[in-house]
Amino acid sequence: MGDDKRAVLFAARSQNALHRLLDTLPVFAGDDRVQRCFTLVPGSEFSADALRALERAGGRVLPWAEAVGRTFALILAASPKGDLQALHGPRVLLPHGAGFNKSVPGEGTEDSASGLDPAHLLLPDGTPLATRCLLSHPGQIARLASAGPAVTARATVVGDPLLERFLESQDHRDRYRAALGTGARTLVVLFSTWGPESLIGRRPGLPAELAAALPHDEYQLALVLHPNERARRGTLDLAEYLEPARRAGLVLPAAHEEWASVAIAADVLITDHGSAALYPAALDRPLLGAYDGGRELLPGTPMADLLAHVPRLAPDLPGAQAASLVAAALRDHLPGSSRALTEPAFAEQGQALDRLRETVYDLLDLAPPAHPVLPRLLPDPAPAPLAPAAFAVRVEDDGGGVLRVLRHPAHLVPPAPAHHVAAEVGTAHRRFTRGAGLLHRRAGGHPGAPTEPADEWTLRILADHPGGRRSAAVVVSATHCLLRPHSGPLLSLRITPHGAERRPTVVDPVPVLSAVHAALLDGEEVTRLRLVCAVGPYAVEVRTARATAAEAATAV
């Protein structure tokens, strides 16, 4: 390394700490005078996942033995734990979360906030571990008093680099929702920290309970899980535990960046005492608290105050009642109320990276780059890899001539008895197709498979599933379907928007098929049916007619 280079070491003890350090990279963007390298601070039970995260980041990784043998122009860490004193160079500590809300029983000083504990901030001789202790809010300086005046004197308020990414990316909310396939549904995001007092530690069944209770066409569900909990469970065990909820369409975003995109896309949050929910709360998202008390949450902290002022999801509440609380949280939310509760956690909003750059370049004894520092926009999240192929369906007449369709994943226990099961042939489990009242598929849905005319396919499917009053249907497009009732001709269904706006339909035609199936079972005229169907927030009009020869020949 040439003498004109400044070596900056990012020292990560866990995957979460590494993610916090990666949020600071824009501070050094474009500066060839700085050489960036990383090391894994040993001693954490989550070190294996941290090492894999380091490798995914693509930075130059120094073995710990090599890192402690060199001197660096600057050392950045997001946790004071571990043998950081063995590293040589000015040490800068960033928070590893928002607000310093938790203590970890059995670690350091009893009832001391993780990240502000004198046991970790002071060396054995009483001198401060860090050259600079960076904070996100002035109120945190007073909380350093127990570490002594020498530590307090080294505290600098710079704000929160991760919040800058939230603020800068919030205008991408519609894009993130489109990437998730949310549409007009309400996106409910569960936030769970790690450990025995976490949401999934105490309420492991909640994701599946909500997936069963929330109507599929009205709600989408996501779970933001702390990296430590992912590491503790392992990929296989986590996937198996969440399998019922994930098969219902649960989104489980990646631990780095993607979770934040999902949080921005959210309509309402359900959170324990973990600090991650403070970020979307700062964007004024409605919240429900789901922390049942314990030793970890410290009174008077931003997260404790937030949970004290938001509606609470009681631990023994059935899934259907929990669903009603979600709707109430959205309905009763006062604009600005969530944002106000996060003010004690975040200062220097919109300026955090500028303040951070001023601090670190002063320690590097370099003039900062002339170009402005920009937070990095959050990436598009990935959609849920799984979706239900069979639904328990209720069709309700609202009394005004509108049939409302409520669908719940058939593999979960629905909140009320179903009118029928609708199952996608060739995709759903056989146990659901055998008992389904509506059997359907999408035209061209199985590329490479032999095709047959819709007229023949519907006859064959009904013959293969004898007994009961079934219907077989083909989705040709978003506005055109073909349906054959158990006894009757092949029908053509045309779907159009309903209401004054006459907007193009955005409704999945499959629940519309369920409404038609239910109406036919009630004795409605087969070939001249007209009805209005509500799916989620939208209403459409559907008309039936006898299928033409050309329609009957549609390849399936």
Side-chain angles (χ1 to χ4, degrees), residues 99-101 139-140 143 297-306 308 341 344-345:
F100 298 105
N101 305 289
Q140 295 162 5
R143 299 177 62 194
L297 181 62
L298 296 172
T301 59
M303 200 64 205
D305 290 343
L306 183 147
L341 292 170

Side-chain angles (χ1 to χ4, degrees), residues 65-109:
E66 181 179 344
V68 298
R70 293 174 50 174
T71 299
F72 297 90
L74 187 68
I75 300 163
L76 288 173
S79 170
K81 299 175 184 177
D83 197 18
L84 288 179
Q85 67 268 25
L87 295 171
H88 304 292
R91 292 182 285 264
V92 174
L93 281 179
L94 294 104
H96 63 276
F100 298 105
N101 305 289
K102 289 173 57 178
S103 66
V104 180
E107 284 192 14
T109 309

